[in-house]
Amino acid sequence: MERSNPGQLSQNEKAVGSARDTSVNGHLLEGVVKVRGRTAGSVGVPAETSAQPSSVMESWKEERTRSVEDNEMSLPSLAAAYNTILRGLGEDPQRQGLLKTPWRAATAMQYFTKGYQEKIIDILNDAIFDEDHDEMVIVKDIDMFSMCEHHLVPIFGKVHIGYLPNKRVLGLSKLARIVEIYSRRLQVQERLTKQIAVAITEALQPAGVGVVVEATHMCMVMRGVQKMNSKTVTSTMLGVFREDPKTRDEFLTLIRS
Amino acid sequence: MTGGRVPTVRHKAEATSHHHQPGISFRPTRKSDFADTVQQQVKHRRRQPASMNGVCNQSMVTGVTDFQRFNGFAEHPAESKKAMGQRALDTSRKESEDESKLPALEAAYVTILRGLGENTDRQGLLKTPLRAAKAMQFLTKGYHETVYDILNDAIFDENHEEMVIVKDIDMFSLCEHHLVPFFGKVHIGYIPSKKVVGLSKLARVVEIYSRRLQVQERLTKQIAMAISEALQPIGVAVVIEAAHMCMVMRGVQKMNSRTVTSAMLGMFRDDPKTREEFLALTKNK
């Protein structure tokens, strides 16, 4: 399994400004990335320190992703694994309701991780426009569904994205598609937030980006502590959003209303 | 039949009629609703032993005694000792065996992660197979327990014949078709007939049946039948309203859709006014 496409941004995010080999889409070339301590404020403003757009776009082109053929080929082994799981749980896989469950569950799981099949460059390349607009653009209440990478249990919630364009704007649905690519993976909410923000930054070089993710984690609601109403909120503010408190305030007020 | 509650006359009449008949029916000469539905479902005599969860499937229920046996109840007192001995056999999974099943589950999850194209050696995924296996065991822990174990100690004799409702019970279950969660709220109401049950036991009954690989219709029916078997009440009503992640996260992707199922037994089925009262009391503003 040489596919090293999992979301490595937890280590990658610190190095996004420095390691030109690593692609923002989270593909990690082992040994290239310098791993720094994982503190919130340790990333410099990527808009200034990031690699030139051309090299980033090139590295995006080199991403290796899962393909539809890969999906088909791994389906039997996934189905067999689910069969083992059903037996291990004490169920009878031959009863009517469970007969095709291994296949359905395998296909469902492949769907829940279809973010590995897509490339940012395919989605974004066409929809970046030159527009003389420098006011805040916000797309809020984007429904997000992800999988907890620790328990393989769903996470769902809402994503709010805002950015201050710098002569280049992005098609609005592309923001939602960026959310889709990164959320349909085995994820950690912190990493998801950061990946979305960094992707927008890399694509547009805006004056600033703010991303807020508010989600419910089934691993906390259905098991473990079992707190039904708890929500986890993470945010990433880059550029002007980080430096200027008034901009940040405006963004946070607008997504709350 | 008027819209009022059951008069005391009924109990005297019942004393003279079939003594083992579950006391759900209003009229003593008519077989109970519960026995009716079960008898109608007796199409095949074939029984599948490990189908703990398939007991309420259309073709599986082969009689009242089978349902009771699978849940630890005996129809006649003489059978109760046999039922106790059978109780150990009635769960398809023992809690003590969970530990020994973990390695197989873990290996299966490693296969799944690799099959999805993930790198199982990265830091975030190192212990994921173990965690996912334990999580899955927790989410299906309903297979450990039988209703008999839970309810038998908390049934009290109480001269109460008004509706008892426990509503807004949070329920989390797993869709048996996609192994994806569905969750929602359960509202249970029953009209006792001399026997009431501890209130938290109703929530525990929900827990037992929901922490399994389920279909919402079957879940509703299992809860209703368990309560009616245990208490022989005048009527039982169960309403479940749930969101199915298999519909929200994939497939049609309808975010706000909810599935509502209900099971009405006994008085709740026969008398529309009783049913209305229950539904009005459990409606959330």
Side-chain angles (χ1 to χ4, degrees):
Chain A
M1 336 139 268
E2 261 318 309
R3 253 171 258 124
S4 58
N5 59 356
Q8 293 296 336
L9 210 56
S10 57
Q11 298 159 340
N12 194 22
E13 63 203 10
K14 270 78 65 189
V16 75
S18 50
R20 273 170 292 277
D21 302 10
T22 52
S23 130
V24 182
N25 205 20
H27 298 267
L28 179 64
L29 302 175
E30 302 281 354
V32 173
V33 176
K34 296 174 227 155
V35 177
R36 285 192 242 143
R38 204 172 169 221
T39 57
S42 63
V43 182
V45 180
E48 297 162 13
T49 61
S50 70
Q52 292 77 28
S54 56
S55 73
V56 167
M57 298 296 248
E58 273 163 22
S59 60
W60 277 352
K61 283 192 191 111
E62 287 158 15
E63 298 166 20
R64 276 167 307 172
T65 51
R66 202 170 80 190
S67 66
V68 175
E69 292 79 32
D70 288 331
N71 276 356
E72 278 175 24
M73 284 190 345
S74 42
L75 206 53
S77 63
L78 287 179
Y82 272 111
N83 217 318
T84 316
I85 292 176
L86 288 179
R87 268 202 210 95
L89 295 176
E91 263 285 3
D92 168 23
Q94 299 308 315
R95 71 172 170 92
Q96 190 219 30
L98 292 187
L99 267 180
K100 291 170 79 184
T101 289
W103 297 93
R104 281 186 292 239
T107 316
M109 192 55 110
Q110 284 183 333
Y111 184 88
F112 295 145
T113 52
K114 72 175 165 67
Y116 293 132
Q117 288 171 226
E118 292 151 9
K119 295 197 221 169
I120 289 273
I121 199 151
D122 292 332
I123 291 187
L124 291 188
N125 223 12
D126 304 334
I128 298 180
F129 307 106
D130 296 312
E131 194 76 33
D132 193 11
H133 184 80
D134 58 359
E135 297 289 333
M136 200 182 295
V137 177
I138 296 178
V139 179
K140 61 177 188 167
D141 291 331
I142 303 171
D143 287 306
M144 178 276 297
F145 301 97
S146 188
M147 290 295 269
C148 161
E149 75 175 10
H150 300 136
H151 300 96
L152 300 184
V153 174
I155 301 171
F156 51 86
K158 290 194 192 296
V159 181
H160 313 283
I161 302 178
Y163 71 102
L164 264 175
N166 183 12
K167 304 299 182 203
R168 293 163 74 182
V169 298
L170 184 60
L172 298 171
S173 77
K174 304 303 178 275
L175 291 169
R177 285 188 191 272
I178 294 179
V179 171
E180 271 285 299
I181 277 194
Y182 286 122
S183 61
R184 297 277 185 192
R185 297 180 175 195
L186 303 185
Q187 271 290 10
V188 162
Q189 190 175 331
E190 296 87 336
R191 184 196 312 143
L192 169 65
T193 323
K194 187 128 228 148
Q195 280 177 318
I196 297 172
V198 169
I200 299 173
T201 309
E202 292 293 335
L204 297 179
Q205 288 81 46
V209 176
V211 177
V212 174
V213 176
E214 195 182 348
T216 309
H217 290 240
M218 287 282 102
C219 50
M220 243 175 89
V221 168
M222 282 179 78
R223 60 166 288 289
V225 278
Q226 302 199 49
K227 296 296 178 189
M228 312 290 158
N229 302 315
S230 69
K231 284 192 166 49
T232 307
V233 182
T234 54
S235 68
T236 300
M237 305 288 171
L238 300 175
V240 170
F241 283 78
R242 171 172 286 189
E243 281 147 21
D244 182 9
K246 285 205 160 44
T247 314
R248 206 184 319 148
D249 271 348
E250 183 186 341
F251 172 60
L252 294 175
T253 311
L254 285 171
I255 62 177
R256 217 173 286 136
S257 61
Chain B
M1 185 191 334
T2 64
R5 290 273 186 279
V6 175
T8 21
V9 161
R10 181 188 71 83
H11 300 290
K12 287 193 201 137
E14 203 182 87
T16 59
S17 65
H18 317 282
H19 69 281
H20 59 269
Q21 170 190 336
I24 300 178
S25 169
F26 177 77
R27 291 182 290 273
T29 51
R30 182 175 164 274
K31 272 204 211 140
S32 74
D33 267 352
F34 170 76
D36 263 344
T37 24
V38 167
Q39 305 291 328
Q40 279 161 18
Q41 287 169 359
V42 176
K43 299 274 195 251
H44 316 282
R45 280 280 146 197
R46 184 173 55 98
R47 198 188 325 145
Q48 296 196 5
S51 61
M52 275 299 300
N53 208 27
V55 168
C56 288
N57 270 348
Q58 196 69 351
S59 59
M60 305 276 195
V61 178
T62 51
V64 171
T65 46
D66 275 349
F67 178 79
Q68 288 170 327
R69 188 172 71 77
F70 280 134
N71 277 293
F73 292 111
E75 201 178 42
H76 301 287
E79 280 187 359
S80 63
K81 287 210 183 97
K82 193 161 57 149
M84 304 251 290
Q86 277 177 341
R87 218 190 325 150
L89 305 171
D90 282 342
T91 53
S92 68
R93 195 170 112 196
K94 316 277 171 301
E95 197 153 350
S96 47
E97 285 176 8
D98 270 357
E99 283 277 338
S100 54
K101 300 256 172 69
L102 268 182
L105 291 177
E106 273 185 69
Y109 273 110
V110 171
T111 314
I112 291 175
L113 288 176
R114 293 216 182 106
L116 294 174
E118 266 284 3
N119 171 17
T120 44
D121 293 324
R122 71 175 172 92
Q123 191 218 30
L125 293 188
L126 270 181
K127 290 173 78 184
T128 289
L130 176 62
R131 282 186 292 238
K134 284 198 185 153
M136 195 55 113
Q137 282 187 331
F138 180 87
L139 297 177
T140 51
K141 70 177 168 67
Y143 292 126
H144 286 156
E145 300 148 323
T146 58
V147 174
Y148 180 85
D149 296 327
I150 297 216
L151 285 189
N152 226 30
D153 298 331
I155 298 182
F156 308 105
D157 296 311
E158 195 75 32
N159 197 1
H160 184 82
E161 284 180 10
E162 299 289 331
M163 201 184 294
V164 177
I165 299 178
V166 179
K167 66 176 189 168
D168 291 330
I169 303 172
D170 288 306
M171 178 274 300
F172 301 94
S173 189
L174 277 178
C175 160
E176 74 175 11
H177 299 137
H178 299 95
L179 300 185
V180 174
F182 69 95
F183 48 86
K185 291 197 191 292
V186 183
H187 312 289
I188 303 179
Y190 72 104
I191 303 178
S193 161
K194 300 300 183 200
K195 285 203 252 179
V196 298
V197 70
L199 298 170
S200 77
K201 301 303 178 280
L202 292 172
R204 283 189 191 270
V205 170
V206 171
E207 272 282 299
I208 285 188
Y209 286 121
S210 61
R211 297 279 184 192
R212 296 180 178 193
L213 303 184
Q214 272 290 9
V215 161
Q216 192 176 331
E217 296 87 336
R218 185 197 310 142
L219 172 62
T220 323
K221 191 157 209 102
Q222 280 177 321
I223 297 174
M225 285 182 26
I227 298 172
S228 63
E229 272 304 306
L231 302 178
Q232 284 92 45
I234 297 167
V236 179
V238 178
V239 171
I240 301 186
E241 179 177 332
H244 289 243
M245 288 288 104
C246 53
M247 241 176 92
V248 169
M249 280 178 81
R250 60 166 289 289
V252 278
Q253 300 201 48
K254 297 296 179 189
M255 312 291 159
N256 302 315
S257 70
R258 300 276 176 276
T259 308
V260 182
T261 53
S262 67
M264 305 283 173
L265 299 178
M267 182 126 191
F268 286 95
R269 172 176 287 194
D270 298 332
D271 180 15
K273 286 216 156 47
T274 314
R275 208 182 317 147
E276 258 178 58
E277 181 184 340
F278 170 70
L279 294 174
L281 287 170
T282 54
K283 185 157 56 156
N284 285 326
K285 311 293 171 292

